[in-house]
Amino acid sequence: MSKIFTYEENGLSYIVTVYEDENGGVFADITVNSGHMDVNAIYLGDDDVSGESAGLKGPLNMNGGGAQYEGEQVQWDSAMELSRPGLGRDGEDKDTYLAEGDSLTVELDVESIEDVDFFGIRATSTSTPEGSIKAVSGEPEEEEEEEEEEDDAATYDKVFFVQEEGEGTIAGDPIIWENLPPEDIEAAGLEPDAEGTFANYVAVFEEVGYFDIAEMQDVRFYETTEEGHPREIEEMRLTAPEDGFEDGDALVAAYEEMIAELEETPAETSGDDDMEGLIMSLISGEEPDNAPAPENPDPELEEEPALL
C-alpha cells in the first residue's frame, strides 16, 4: 500500500509517494512535476492533534501557514532537516534541489505508513513568487498494491498428443506432467514448479520435439478420479482442423476457443450426467443420450397406432 500527497500552487507542483518496502521501512519519493525547489525539511503528522507539535528552529520552522491544513490545525509528530537554505557552491547540483522531473527519496522516521496523514515540506529557492514555501498536504490518496492475479488456468494430469502415421495407426505417448524430466520443463523456459496447464504442455512439446505439430491429429485430456478406485478418464478432446495446426500458438488458441465455448454452453438442467454427456458428445461427434427431443417432429415419421 502507498499514500500519495500532492501540492500545486503558483506554478510549483509536486507529488509525494509514501510507501513501505519489503523490510518494513517507510520511504517518501518527492517528485517535482513543474517548477523547482530546494527541499530543506519535511514534516510528518497523523490525525491526532493532542500533545505538543514537533518543529525545527530558525528558517526551517513551519509556523503560521505551515501548521494548518484547509483552516484546521495540524500537529506535526516529527520533523527532519535535509539541508540548510541556500544553494551555495553546488548551485542546482545540490542534492536537495529538485527541478521539473527530479525526484528525491527519503527514509522516514515512522513505524508505519499509517502514521502519515499529513506531509509538510519547508523549501527555499522555489519557483514561487515568494521564493519559499511552507507546504502542507493532507487527505492522501491510498493505492493498494496490485495483487498478483491468481492463475486459475485448468491443469491436467495427462495430455495425449496424437499423431496419425498411416491408415488406422496412431503414434505417440501420453505426457504425464508429474513424470516430465525437470530438464524438459527448464528447456521450455518454465519455472521448476510450473503446473500442468495446456500452454505449459505445449511449450514442453515444442521444445522437446516429439513430432511436428502440423502432423497432430488430436489432443486428448485426462483427469484422475477418486470415485470407487483411482482411474483416469478422458475429459475432452481437441481435434485438429483439416489443414492441421500451424504452430504451438495456433494450438493453444484453438484450445482456448474450445474452453470458451464450453463455458458459454448453458446448463439448463445442470448435473454431472448432463455435463458428462456433453463432453462425450464433443469427443465422439454424436448426440448425447440425454439430448432433448426435437420440438416439432415430422408427423409423417410418427408410428401409426396398431389396429385392434
Side-chain angles (χ1 to χ4, degrees):
M1 185 180 74
S2 63
K3 290 186 176 182
I4 297 177
F5 298 85
T6 59
Y7 177 87
E8 185 172 359
E9 192 171 332
N10 295 326
L12 175 61
S13 171
Y14 64 78
I15 183 171
V16 180
T17 303
V18 179
Y19 58 94
E20 293 183 8
D21 69 358
E22 58 185 10
N23 298 318
V26 183
F27 295 81
D29 290 345
I30 306 170
T31 303
V32 171
N33 295 325
S34 62
H36 58 79
M37 64 178 176
D38 179 23
V39 183
N40 303 131
I42 59 174
Y43 285 71
L44 308 174
D46 58 22
D47 285 329
D48 187 3
V49 294
S50 62
E52 186 177 351
S53 187
L56 299 172
K57 297 181 179 181
L60 301 185
N61 72 78
M62 288 282 277
N63 300 337
Q68 293 187 351
Y69 177 73
E70 295 184 347
E72 298 293 330
Q73 191 71 20
V74 175
Q75 177 192 295
W76 297 115
D77 298 314
S78 64
M80 181 187 304
E81 178 178 337
L82 302 183
S83 66
R84 300 303 296 176
L87 300 182
R89 295 180 179 178
D90 292 333
E92 295 183 0
D93 292 330
K94 186 179 180 181
D95 291 340
T96 55
Y97 179 82
L98 304 178
E100 183 174 332
D102 292 340
S103 294
L104 174 67
T105 299
V106 181
E107 183 171 7
L108 307 180
D109 186 20
V110 292
E111 294 183 358
S112 168
I113 190 175
E114 299 298 335
D115 297 331
V116 185
D117 294 311
F118 295 95
F119 199 98
I121 287 183
R122 180 70 173 101
T124 56
S125 302
T126 66
S127 53
T128 60
E130 298 80 7
S132 66
I133 59 170
K134 295 180 179 180
V136 182
S137 300
E139 298 181 4
E141 301 175 17
E142 293 192 11
E143 286 191 349
E144 297 288 341
E145 291 182 357
E146 293 185 3
E147 296 182 2
E148 294 185 4
E149 294 185 3
E150 295 184 3
D151 185 3
D152 57 357
T155 58
Y156 303 97
D157 300 324
K158 179 171 69 174
V159 173
F160 191 1
F161 294 98
V162 178
Q163 177 189 27
E164 185 176 8
E165 289 187 329
E167 288 294 331
T169 304
I170 294 177
D173 292 319
I175 302 175
I176 301 174
W177 189 260
E178 62 182 13
N179 292 347
L180 279 174
E183 56 267 25
D184 287 358
I185 295 177
E186 182 180 357
L190 303 175
E191 297 294 331
D193 58 351
E195 295 184 327
T197 64
F198 183 63
N200 288 347
Y201 271 104
V202 174
V204 173
F205 182 92
E206 284 189 300
E207 183 61 35
V208 176
Y210 299 103
F211 57 82
D212 191 340
I213 286 181
E215 300 173 2
M216 192 174 299
Q217 171 181 291
D218 59 54
V219 184
R220 305 172 190 183
F221 302 81
Y222 295 86
E223 293 288 4
T224 300
T225 176
E226 297 294 338
E227 297 178 4
H229 58 277
R231 63 188 180 89
E232 289 180 339
I233 60 172
E234 183 175 338
E235 185 178 72
M236 56 188 173
R237 186 179 299 186
L238 174 61
T239 303
E242 187 174 338
D243 53 353
F245 297 111
E246 182 178 352
D247 52 26
D249 291 339
L251 177 55
V252 173
Y255 162 80
E256 292 176 346
E257 183 178 351
M258 177 182 68
I259 295 299
E261 290 178 357
L262 284 173
E263 291 176 347
E264 291 174 2
T265 302
E268 296 178 358
T269 56
S270 60
D272 293 341
D273 293 340
D274 294 334
M275 183 55 69
E276 184 176 353
L278 173 62
I279 291 173
M280 293 308 297
S281 69
L282 288 172
I283 293 173
S284 63
E286 300 176 354
E287 286 291 328
D289 294 337
N290 56 358
E295 293 183 3
N296 299 305
D298 189 340
E300 294 183 1
L301 299 179
E302 293 183 358
E303 183 179 353
E304 295 183 2
L307 297 175
L308 298 178

